[in-house]
């Protein structure tokens, strides 16, 4: 399917490009085709350079940032190879052909002018008459050729686009794997699609009033209370290890299947550290990349596209940048392709000193999307043992990614009646990752690193199940029937664990929260007042603001209520019963997300002033 769509996409785009030539006079036609050739060749040349350096294609919006990093990290001419001469071979041929034609023309040029004026004039009148007739016929022919060629090209390109969307739904909206798109559509259609997409993500709003933005920010982010709080600064100077777990949803924590714990190692952490049981997933189109972004920058996802794909050139306040100023070494460890979700560029924007990606690992055990979690953690531990302390390390797992297929010899749990179902595979994959995390923590304990570290573990987004999945419904106690709207939305939580060995930091935290709150909460534990930073989240342990969770699908959670803004419904979180709709909720919800988009479009996060904010009005939402 991919090869078929690639051929159709390439041919379709070429037909569209060439069809325009039929609308131009012959001299302009030659110039147009030459320019089209030059532009296409230049695109291919840049693709080649970026692929060799970043192992990824670069899109229009991030070209300047990518070229900047390329110039810093390498010299583009050092990436050239001998065979690259074939990229300009057509131009060399055209130059030689032009030179040959010029010589031949000069050979046969005659200097004699024997025609009389009368003869010339009579022939000119006749020629004009013939030219009018020819021009009309030529115009009809060229217009017909343009319409046919353009229609064929558009049809082929649309078919290629449809095949790709059928194979990988929504990939053309998110652009999470640019190389895969180019392989499926052809490089020409990829760039055409990129330009079209970039034109829709523009600075389509005027520069906002910074006073209005600042006033809103101050009203929603009160100063943190750090007095008489034993947890404030309890992890100061400690290593920070953050683990983002693929598709880890809260409903598996402390649960058993066929008499066996699904997550025995995480269950132990629940008793030894802090556990946030109302921590909602707030990702949007960016999936896993949104979770990374939310957690590291404390900004909500962008409304269109993905921050990782569309805004890696922005300036962010991040965990890595903040801790770097305190002397921390920072590294992101993820056994994924460097161009997946544009993580190679975004990790630089987020301030990581080093990125350990797919190319830096020994692939001794692959499963599912890539390197098995057990091997990733083992190799990651090798790196941490040699790292300068204190360090901030951000690790991302892969093995519990859909379709959750773990080889039989690595399954450590019997899922009973769920065996050979997608839900059963999910439980097996989560259990495998839990075992890998347990082995990793044991390794850090034996190395002496764990006692000098704060460990944070959370799920990136809810598992990709739907309300009518019979196995999920049965497991959750809904009898295999479709889950109703409220319980379904209320369960879209991911677990958050914060573990500081040897401390009194423990207990279940019931505060409503979301992934945007992680960064400010970690700041408080590291001895920094989060209210002094331009973050949209709140310090869950020290901020007086009421906890909230926001999702771009229309869900807003605060206090004891869950609101569905899109249809103005409200539910009590404890009883599940409907409660009266509060008209002020829509305004609060819209403000958070619209100001988020404003911050993205105009690159404003680092420009916000953020000191001594007054008490938040959010404390009055939903009792």
């Amino acid at each position: 399917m991919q090869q078929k769509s690639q051929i159709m996409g390439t041919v379709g785009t070429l037909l569209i490009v060439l069809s325009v030539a039929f609308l131009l006079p012959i001299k302009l036609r030659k110039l147009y085709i030459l320019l089209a050739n030059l532009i296409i060749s230049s695109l291919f040349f840049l693709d080649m350079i970026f692929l060799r350096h970043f192992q990824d294609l670069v899109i229009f919006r991030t070209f300047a940032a990518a070229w900047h990093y390329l110039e810093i990290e390498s010299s583009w001419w050092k990436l050239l190879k001998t065979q690259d001469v074939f990229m300009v071979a057509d131009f060399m041929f055209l130059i030689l052909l032009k030179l040959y034609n010029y010589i031949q023309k000069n050979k046969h040029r005659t200097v004699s002018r024997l025609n009389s004026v009368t003869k010339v004039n009579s022939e000119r009148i006749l020629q004009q008459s013939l030219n009018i007739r020819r021009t009309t016929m030529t115009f009809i022919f060229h217009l017909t050729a343009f319409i046919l060629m353009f229609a064929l090209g558009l049809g082929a390109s649309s078919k290629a686009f449809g095949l790709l969307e059928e194979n990988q739904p929504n990939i053309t909206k998110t652009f999470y794997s640019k190389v895969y798109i180019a392989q499926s559509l052809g490089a020409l259609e990829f760039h055409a699609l990129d330009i079209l997409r970039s034109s829709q993500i523009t600075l389509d709003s005027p520069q906002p009033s910074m006073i209005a933005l600042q006033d809103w920010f101050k009203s929603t982010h009160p100063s943190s209370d750090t007095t008489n709080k034993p947890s404030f600064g309890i992890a100061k100077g400690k290593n920070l290890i953050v683990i983002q777990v693929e598709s880890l949803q809260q409903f598996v924590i402390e649960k058993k299947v066929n008499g066996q714990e699904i997550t025995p190692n995480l269950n132990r952490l629940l008793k030894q550290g802090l556990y946030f049981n109302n921590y909602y997933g707030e990702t949007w189109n960016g999936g896993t990349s949104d979770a990374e972004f939310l957690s590291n920058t404390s900004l909500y996802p962008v409304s269109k596209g993905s921050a990782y794909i569309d805004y890696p050139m922005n300036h962010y306040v991040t965990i890595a940048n903040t801790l770097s100023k305190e002397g921390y070494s920072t590294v992101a460890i993820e056994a994924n392709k460097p161009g997946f979700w544009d993580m190679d560029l975004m990790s630089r924007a987020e301030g990581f000193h080093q990125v350990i990606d797919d190319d830096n690992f020994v692939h001794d055990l692959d499963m599912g999307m890539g390197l098995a979690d057990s091997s990733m953690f083992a190799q990651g531990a090798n790196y941490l043992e040699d790292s300068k302390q204190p360090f901030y390390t951000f690790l991302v797992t892969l093995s519990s990614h859909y379709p959750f297929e773990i080889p039989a010899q690595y399954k450590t749990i019997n899922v009973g009646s769920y065996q050979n179902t997608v839900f059963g595979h999910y439980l097996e994959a989560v259990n495998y990752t839990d075992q890998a995390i347990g082995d990793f923590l044991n390794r850090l304990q034996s190395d002496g690193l764990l006692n000098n570290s704060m460990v944070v573990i959370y799920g990136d987004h809810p598992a990709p199940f739907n309300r009518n999945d019979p196995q999920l419904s049965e497991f959750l106690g809904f009898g295999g029937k479709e889950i109703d709207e409220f319980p379904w939305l209320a369960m879209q939580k991911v677990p958050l664990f914060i573990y500081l060995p040897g401390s009194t930091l423990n207990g279940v935290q019931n505060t409503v929260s979301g992934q945007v709150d992680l960064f400010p909460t970690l700041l408080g534990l590291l001895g920094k007042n989060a209210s002094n930073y331009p973050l949209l989240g709140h310090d869950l342990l020290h901020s007086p603001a009421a906890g909230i969770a926001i999702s771009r699908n229309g869900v807003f959670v605060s206090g004891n209520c869950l609101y569905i803004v899109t249809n103005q419904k409200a539910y009590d979180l404890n009883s599940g019963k409907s409660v009266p709709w509060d008209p002020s909720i829509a305004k609060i919800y819209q403000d958070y997300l619209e100001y988020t988009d404003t911050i993205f479009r105009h690159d404003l996060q680092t420009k916000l002033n953020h000191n001594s904010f007054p008490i938040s009005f959010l404390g009055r939402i939903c009792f």
Side-chain angles (χ1 to χ4, degrees):
M1 184 183 289
Q2 189 181 50
Q3 188 178 39
K4 181 180 178 182
S5 64
Q6 183 188 62
I7 293 171
M8 295 187 73
T10 301
V11 171
T13 307
L14 279 174
L15 287 173
I16 291 171
V17 170
L18 291 173
S19 68
V20 178
F22 283 99
L23 300 179
L24 303 172
I26 190 164
K27 289 184 179 179
L28 286 180
R29 191 183 311 157
K30 290 179 181 179
L31 179 61
Y32 168 78
I33 292 175
L34 185 64
L35 285 173
N37 188 10
L38 178 62
I39 292 170
I40 291 170
S41 296
S42 299
L43 282 174
F44 288 170
F45 177 80
L46 290 170
D47 285 343
M48 177 187 70
I49 294 296
F50 285 126
L51 274 167
R52 287 175 183 169
H53 184 73
F54 295 107
Q55 299 180 46
D56 191 26
L57 294 170
V58 172
I59 60 175
F60 179 77
R61 285 178 56 78
T62 60
F63 174 82
W67 191 261
H68 170 71
Y69 289 124
L70 175 62
E71 287 184 321
I72 292 175
E73 299 162 359
S74 180
S75 300
W76 67 266
W77 57 87
K78 292 181 181 178
L79 300 171
L80 297 178
K81 298 180 180 179
T82 306
Q83 62 264 33
D84 296 341
V85 69
F86 289 106
M87 295 198 73
V88 294
D90 51 348
F91 290 101
M92 295 169 66
F93 171 77
L94 287 172
I95 291 170
L96 291 174
L97 181 63
K98 187 69 176 176
L99 184 61
Y100 173 78
N101 287 339
Y102 178 77
I103 294 171
Q104 290 297 108
K105 190 174 182 180
N106 279 347
K107 267 187 187 179
H108 296 91
R109 183 176 291 171
T110 177
V111 293
S112 60
R113 299 189 179 186
L114 304 173
N115 296 324
S116 66
V117 175
T118 305
K119 183 178 179 183
V120 169
N121 286 341
S122 62
E123 287 181 353
R124 184 176 295 166
I125 294 170
L126 180 61
Q127 191 65 41
Q128 286 176 348
S129 176
L130 290 172
N131 283 346
I132 293 172
R133 209 173 302 166
R134 285 175 185 167
T135 300
T136 304
M137 295 299 294
T138 302
F139 173 76
I140 294 172
F141 170 76
H142 283 179
L143 182 61
T144 303
F146 163 74
I147 293 172
L148 288 175
M149 189 175 286
F150 187 87
L152 284 171
L154 192 61
S157 296
S158 299
K159 181 63 176 177
F161 183 88
L163 288 171
L164 175 60
E165 278 292 307
E166 179 184 342
N167 188 31
Q168 294 288 332
N170 293 322
I171 191 172
T172 54
K173 293 180 181 178
T174 59
F175 264 47
Y176 63 79
S177 179
K178 300 188 291 297
V179 171
Y180 189 90
I181 296 174
Q183 289 172 336
S184 301
L185 297 179
L188 286 179
E189 183 152 340
F190 165 79
H191 286 295
L193 182 63
D194 169 41
I195 292 171
L196 176 63
R197 184 175 177 276
S198 295
S199 68
Q200 297 170 347
I201 306 173
T202 58
L203 299 181
D204 54 3
S205 62
Q207 182 71 25
S209 166
M210 286 300 293
I211 295 176
L213 178 57
Q214 193 63 50
D215 287 346
W216 170 83
F217 199 92
K218 288 180 179 180
S219 70
T220 54
H221 292 74
S223 181
S224 296
D225 179 11
T226 59
T227 58
N228 301 318
K229 292 276 187 175
S231 59
F232 185 79
I234 195 171
K236 188 173 184 178
K238 299 279 188 179
N239 300 318
L240 175 60
I241 300 171
V242 177
I243 302 172
Q244 178 173 296
V245 183
E246 174 63 42
S247 299
L248 178 63
Q249 196 161 346
Q250 190 206 40
F251 68 78
V252 297
I253 304 301
E254 292 194 296
K255 293 295 191 299
K256 293 182 178 181
V257 61
N258 205 28
Q260 299 168 281
E261 286 184 290
I262 300 169
T263 58
N265 292 290
L266 293 178
N267 294 345
R268 281 194 290 274
L269 281 186
L270 185 152
K271 297 175 177 63
Q272 297 170 353
L274 291 175
Y275 173 59
F276 294 81
N277 67 344
N278 279 312
Y279 194 68
Y280 284 81
E282 296 175 312
T283 59
W284 190 228
N285 293 325
T288 295
S289 71
D290 275 354
E292 293 188 26
F293 183 79
L294 281 155
S295 302
N296 279 283
T297 67
S298 192
L299 291 177
Y300 289 100
V302 67
S303 59
K304 293 181 180 179
S306 159
Y308 266 46
I309 297 295
D310 300 308
Y311 295 96
M313 71 291 284
N314 278 17
H315 301 83
Y316 298 105
V317 178
T318 68
I319 299 176
N321 282 328
T322 302
L323 294 184
S324 291
K325 296 173 183 177
E326 301 296 318
Y328 277 67
S329 57
T330 59
V331 60
I333 300 177
E334 184 170 358
N336 223 326
K337 293 291 183 184
F340 191 70
W341 280 118
D342 230 359
M343 289 172 184
D344 49 352
L345 284 181
M346 197 59 172
S347 61
R348 292 168 169 86
E350 289 179 352
F352 285 103
H353 294 151
Q354 189 171 3
V355 179
I356 309 298
D357 57 39
D358 184 74
D359 298 326
N360 304 110
F361 285 96
V362 176
H363 283 258
D364 50 2
L365 177 61
D366 283 343
M367 62 175 67
M369 279 196 70
L371 188 67
D373 288 345
S374 58
S375 181
M376 185 276 290
F377 279 121
Q379 295 183 59
N382 292 337
Y383 179 85
L384 295 184
E385 290 167 1
D386 297 329
S387 294
K388 172 182 170 292
Q389 298 188 55
F391 56 73
Y392 164 45
T393 301
F394 183 78
L395 303 102
V396 179
T397 73
L398 285 177
S399 297
S400 52
H401 195 285
Y402 181 85
F404 321 119
E405 293 176 354
I406 304 295
Q409 64 268 35
Y410 296 106
K411 294 178 182 179
T412 55
I413 190 172
N414 182 353
V415 296
S417 61
Y418 300 118
Q419 197 166 6
N420 298 322
T421 66
V422 174
F423 181 71
H425 292 326
Y426 172 71
L427 299 181
E428 292 165 346
V430 168
N431 176 258
Y432 172 81
T433 297
D434 176 85
Q435 298 293 335
I437 291 172
D439 292 342
F440 176 65
L441 295 181
N442 290 336
R443 168 86 173 268
L444 296 182
Q445 180 71 59
S446 63
D447 291 341
L449 284 175
L450 190 62
N451 288 334
N452 193 39
S453 302
M454 177 167 59
V455 179
V456 178
I457 302 173
Y458 66 90
D460 64 349
H461 52 70
F465 294 109
N466 52 51
R467 289 166 55 183
N468 57 11
D469 186 287
Q471 285 81 33
L472 173 64
S473 173
E474 179 185 306
F475 180 83
L476 295 175
F478 293 98
K481 299 177 182 178
E482 182 173 333
I483 303 171
D484 290 337
E485 181 182 50
F486 167 72
W488 175 255
L489 293 175
M491 65 174 280
Q492 300 307 304
K493 304 174 188 176
V494 295
L496 169 63
F497 305 86
I498 299 180
Y499 174 49
L500 189 63
S503 76
T504 57
L505 196 69
N506 57 56
V508 176
Q509 307 294 308
N510 297 313
T511 304
V512 169
S513 52
Q515 290 158 315
V516 78
D517 297 316
L518 179 62
F519 182 6
T521 303
L522 295 181
L523 283 176
L525 293 171
L526 291 166
K528 296 183 179 297
N529 192 326
S531 59
N532 293 332
Y533 295 80
L535 311 177
L536 294 189
H538 301 88
D539 183 341
L540 299 176
L541 300 174
H542 308 106
S543 173
I548 62 172
I550 294 176
S551 175
R552 283 196 179 271
N553 66 358
V555 174
F556 180 92
V557 186
S558 177
N560 292 323
C561 288
L562 182 148
Y563 301 93
I564 307 175
V565 179
T566 49
N567 55 17
Q568 297 190 354
K569 291 182 180 179
Y571 297 92
D572 184 278
L573 280 173
N574 297 319
S575 66
K577 294 181 179 179
S578 295
V579 295
W581 172 255
D582 183 346
S584 67
I585 293 301
K587 178 69 166 60
I588 298 169
Y589 175 85
Q590 290 166 3
D591 281 349
Y592 262 91
L593 296 184
E594 286 177 4
Y595 278 123
T596 293
D597 284 337
T598 297
I599 291 170
F600 273 117
R601 292 189 186 111
H602 300 282
D603 191 12
L604 297 179
Q605 187 180 24
T606 58
K607 299 181 178 68
L608 289 171
N609 295 319
H610 35 273
N611 290 297
S612 302
F613 297 154
I615 191 69
S616 171
F617 64 85
L618 289 175
R620 301 193 297 271
I621 296 176
C622 192
F623 298 99

